[in-house]
Amino acid sequence: MNDELRAQAGEILHHYGEVHQQEKAIEEMAELITAIKHGDRDNYVEELADVQVMIEQLFQALSFEEQQKFIVTIHNKINRQLRRIEGGDNNESTDT
């Protein structure tokens, strides 16, 4: 997501407020789950985009400290999974 889209997502967040957008995020995630389960690739792409927009808004609603923790947590989870893969763990990951 580029800076312009981030700024626009922030405008949406500020207009509706964090609590409303949290509820909207839940709705969009449910729609993504449905699209995945039905195997509808076009709908999957659309719902994935909706969820990405919502995640950006929820991220912007975090404090600076929370944003930093979020970023560190992402790095830690990816690195942990890569270590599992390098260690020969070929099982599906359900807990990144």
Side-chain angles (χ1 to χ4, degrees), residues 22-54:
Q22 287 171 341
E23 292 296 322
K24 184 69 174 171
I26 292 167
E27 175 186 322
E28 296 297 353
M29 286 184 264
E31 291 174 4
L32 177 59
I33 290 167
T34 300
I36 292 169
K37 287 187 172 263
H38 289 145
D40 181 341
R41 198 72 177 169
D42 288 336
N43 189 240
Y44 167 72
V45 170
E46 182 175 339
E47 298 306 335
L48 187 61
D50 286 342
V51 169
Q52 180 65 36
V53 170
M54 298 312 301

